Amino acid sequence: MSLSLNQWTTRRWSLAEAVDGCVRHGLEAIGLWREKVEEQGLAQSVKLVRAAGLRVSSLCRGGFLTAGGLPGEEGRTAFAHALDDNRRAIDEAAELEAACLVMVVGGLPGVRPGEALPEGFTRDLAGARERVAEALAELAPYAGERGVKLALEPLHPIYCPDRAVLSTLGQALELSLPYPEEQVGVVVDTFHVWWDPRLAADIARAGSRIASYQVCDYLHPLPADVLLGRGMMGDGVIDFPPITRAVQAAGYAGDVEVEIFNADVWAADPDEVVATMKARYEELVLL
Amino acid sequence: MSLSLNQWTTRRWSLAEAVDGCVRHGLEAIGLWREKVEEQGLAQSVKLVRAAGLRVSSLCRGGFLTAGGLPGEEGRTAFAHALDDNRRAIDEAAELEAACLVMVVGGLPGVRPGEALPEGFTRDLAGARERVAEALAELAPYAGERGVKLALEPLHPIYCPDRAVLSTLGQALELSLPYPEEQVGVVVDTFHVWWDPRLAADIARAGSRIASYQVCDYLHPLPADVLLGRGMMGDGVIDFPPITRAVQAAGYAGDVEVEIFNADVWAADPDEVVATMKARYEELVLL
């Protein structure tokens, strides 16, 4: 397993700067975000990562597939729009030769990330989960034809209302099973799954379905904006070695991305962040 | 199923006032808190609820059993102290003829609810879960001899660091299985479990192990103090009928407690809160 910088960890850096940073710190891989790729231009982004000899460990992110659960025309339009956007994300992942496209599947239909509950959202959680399965049936073959693997990311249940109705690794795994594992895999992100009493068993069961292993810590108490509760390894409550051991035993030999959303980390000098990340990774995550 | 006021919902009321409030609003049951019982005195509390003809649907709470995971003497002392306190809680539940004693099992050893991570806490989540099982082996027979049922409450994973390493209904159920169901049951609290993709299956599996059904809504976004994210039914994201239906189909015919921790609810006139609670319960929770 080899360390990869998810570029949201050094959010102040452009894609070009993050690529340079990886090279400067001796990293072999980078996790990219679509916003940053768009800023840089797709063709230029491809050129930069190739010239630097970096692997693209993932592209973040496709998903937000649940709005089809809204009633009538609004739902149909939203679903079609989501499929279009995901096809574009798949095309981008193909161009970048990303190891996978991370899928954050979306929350309750009509609920927007981080915002107050709007009029007309729906509480039908089971229905939202069915919408995800339906969208996957459209997108998996499209991804397969382009050599892209969709990586279903279960998110911490705190994000169930607004970001992902996919809440456990077991649930992600079951969603993936109808498809060849080259088309659909799962993400193990320590922040999201560390608490799960079935984690070890589900990692073992996932085996070669594990498309990405992402690490960061879970801060306690969480900050007021819970999206920013991801911390540098060692700053929170997660015991990494048992999880790393399980992921390795399951056969995962890909890159390990560090993806941190955190106001203090974003405010710090990105070079120092990468240096700390490397040190903490070796001390706390590697076996 | 019959509505019960968990007295923390009307936290400004003393036990005597809450008992009066239940009678005034035609409720047949009340969920009590140890702090309020102590304030009123145990004997007087027993007298008040009996005179009012109220059932005690639960006593909150026992638990916090994980500190034994701290190293050496500190751990041993903390474990012994926790067992003593839980035996007292069981004695109180017996006196009150509470339908169950709710068990909030505790978080990572050394982490205090809502507080910053202290020096010397432990990240050994699996170990903390073993401590809970060990404590239960001590406490279940003691409870059984006194006719008290321990009700294991899985808490939302957001509370895993500091309040409960018991995070899913399935996990609670498995912990309960070694004991007769008169001794150890489980709590289904909508706030804590609404997101769980295995919820319907685990409620069915729990069957007569369900010792308490508690309802309140899950607010979104959560307030800065996540403990206060419990809202009046209808103010959040939970779709109650599927959960009520599953709990009923599992055979639960006990009281349904409304337990709300919420700054606005606590600031409101308790009589209005109870009136709203009754209306929302009939509109949104009852089938």
Side-chain angles (χ1 to χ4, degrees):
Chain A
M1 301 207 290
S2 163
L3 180 60
S4 172
L5 173 69
N6 182 293
Q7 73 171 131
W8 218 247
T9 302
T10 52
R11 192 181 167 179
R12 279 156 56 187
W13 274 346
S14 68
L15 187 143
E17 290 168 330
V19 165
D20 282 351
C22 286
V23 172
R24 198 160 55 244
H25 290 274
L27 301 178
E28 298 172 13
I30 188 167
L32 299 179
W33 276 65
R34 291 182 73 199
E35 289 86 330
K36 296 284 189 183
V37 169
E38 194 181 355
E39 220 173 78
Q40 194 79 55
L42 177 60
Q44 180 66 11
S45 299
V46 170
K47 212 162 146 182
L48 286 167
V49 292
R50 294 221 179 121
L54 293 176
R55 294 184 296 275
V56 177
S57 49
S58 77
L59 178 65
C60 279
R61 58 190 186 193
F64 289 92
L65 302 165
T66 53
L70 291 170
E73 189 56 29
E74 191 184 359
R76 282 190 293 276
T77 306
F79 192 64
H81 178 82
L83 291 181
D84 280 349
D85 186 55
N86 276 276
R87 288 190 195 99
R88 277 194 300 276
I90 291 166
D91 294 343
E92 292 161 24
E95 285 290 316
L96 290 160
E97 295 179 9
C100 61
L101 174 65
V102 172
M103 302 292 281
V104 173
V105 302
L108 293 173
V111 179
R112 288 175 185 279
E115 295 182 16
L117 296 173
E119 289 295 308
F121 81 98
T122 148
R123 292 180 174 82
D124 180 9
L125 178 57
R129 287 170 168 164
E130 283 165 26
R131 296 297 84 69
V132 175
E134 287 166 13
L136 205 56
E138 299 281 332
L139 295 172
Y142 185 92
E145 286 162 18
R146 283 149 190 86
V148 170
K149 182 185 288 192
L150 304 177
L152 299 172
E153 182 163 22
L155 260 55
H156 192 286
I158 198 175
Y159 303 122
C160 189
D162 61 342
R163 287 191 167 86
V165 294
L166 201 48
S167 307
T168 65
L169 183 60
Q171 185 194 6
L173 186 56
E174 258 143 60
L175 253 182
S176 76
L177 291 180
Y179 306 98
E181 61 184 38
E182 297 76 38
Q183 279 177 26
V184 185
V186 296
V187 180
V188 176
D189 179 316
T190 54
F191 178 91
H192 294 305
V193 300
W194 72 278
W195 57 270
D196 187 347
R198 303 174 62 96
L199 183 60
D202 281 337
I203 288 175
R205 198 157 65 95
S208 48
R209 288 271 173 189
I210 300 174
S212 176
Y213 179 38
Q214 301 193 343
V215 297
C216 76
D217 218 327
Y218 182 96
L219 299 182
H220 178 81
L222 289 173
D225 179 353
V226 294
L227 188 64
L228 306 187
R230 301 173 69 96
M232 189 61 78
M233 296 79 79
D235 290 350
V237 299
I238 298 178
D239 188 22
F240 294 95
I243 307 179
T244 299
R245 204 172 295 127
V247 167
Q248 252 180 15
Y252 183 77
D255 296 308
V256 183
E257 270 185 34
V258 173
E259 186 188 49
I260 300 176
F261 302 174
N262 180 302
D264 294 334
V265 170
W266 289 341
D269 172 6
D271 270 296
E272 279 176 27
V273 169
V274 176
T276 304
M277 171 185 95
K278 282 182 64 173
R280 297 283 184 92
Y281 174 75
E282 280 162 32
E283 184 192 348
L284 297 170
V285 180
L286 263 188
L287 298 178
Chain B
M1 299 206 293
S2 164
L3 180 59
S4 172
L5 172 69
N6 182 293
Q7 74 171 132
W8 217 249
T9 302
T10 52
R11 190 180 168 180
R12 279 156 56 187
W13 275 346
S14 68
L15 188 143
E17 290 169 329
V19 165
D20 282 351
C22 286
V23 172
R24 198 159 57 244
H25 289 273
L27 301 178
E28 299 172 11
I30 188 168
L32 299 179
W33 276 65
R34 291 182 74 199
E35 289 86 330
K36 296 283 188 184
V37 170
E38 193 180 355
E39 221 174 77
Q40 195 79 56
L42 177 60
Q44 180 66 10
S45 299
V46 170
K47 211 162 148 181
L48 286 168
V49 293
R50 294 220 179 123
L54 292 176
R55 293 185 296 276
V56 177
S57 49
S58 77
L59 178 64
C60 280
R61 61 192 183 191
F64 290 92
L65 302 166
T66 54
L70 291 170
E73 190 56 29
E74 192 184 358
R76 282 189 293 276
T77 306
F79 192 64
H81 179 81
L83 290 182
D84 279 350
D85 186 55
N86 276 277
R87 288 191 196 100
R88 276 194 299 276
I90 291 166
D91 293 342
E92 292 161 25
E95 286 290 316
L96 290 160
E97 294 178 12
C100 61
L101 174 66
V102 172
M103 301 292 282
V104 173
V105 301
L108 293 173
V111 179
R112 288 175 185 278
E115 294 183 16
L117 295 174
E119 289 296 307
F121 81 98
T122 148
R123 292 179 173 82
D124 180 9
L125 178 57
R129 287 168 169 164
E130 282 166 27
R131 295 298 85 71
V132 175
E134 287 166 13
L136 205 55
E138 298 282 331
L139 295 172
Y142 185 91
E145 286 162 20
R146 282 147 190 87
V148 171
K149 182 185 287 193
L150 304 177
L152 299 172
E153 182 163 22
L155 259 56
H156 193 287
I158 199 175
Y159 303 122
C160 189
D162 61 342
R163 287 190 168 85
V165 293
L166 200 48
S167 307
T168 66
L169 182 61
Q171 185 193 6
L173 185 56
E174 260 142 61
L175 253 181
S176 77
L177 291 180
Y179 306 97
E181 61 186 38
E182 298 75 38
Q183 278 177 26
V184 185
V186 297
V187 180
V188 176
D189 179 316
T190 55
F191 178 91
H192 294 305
V193 300
W194 72 279
W195 58 271
D196 188 345
R198 304 174 61 96
L199 183 59
D202 281 337
I203 287 174
R205 198 157 65 95
S208 49
R209 287 270 174 189
I210 299 174
S212 175
Y213 179 37
Q214 302 193 342
V215 298
C216 76
D217 218 327
Y218 182 96
L219 299 183
H220 179 81
L222 288 174
D225 180 352
V226 295
L227 188 65
L228 307 185
R230 301 173 70 97
M232 189 61 79
M233 296 79 79
D235 290 350
V237 299
I238 298 178
D239 189 21
F240 293 96
I243 306 180
T244 299
R245 205 173 294 127
V247 167
Q248 250 178 17
Y252 183 77
D255 296 308
V256 183
E257 269 184 35
V258 173
E259 185 188 49
I260 300 178
F261 302 174
N262 181 301
D264 295 335
V265 170
W266 289 342
D269 172 6
D271 269 297
E272 279 176 28
V273 169
V274 176
T276 305
M277 173 185 93
K278 281 182 66 174
R280 297 284 184 90
Y281 174 76
E282 279 161 31
E283 184 191 349
L284 297 170
V285 180
L286 263 187
L287 298 178

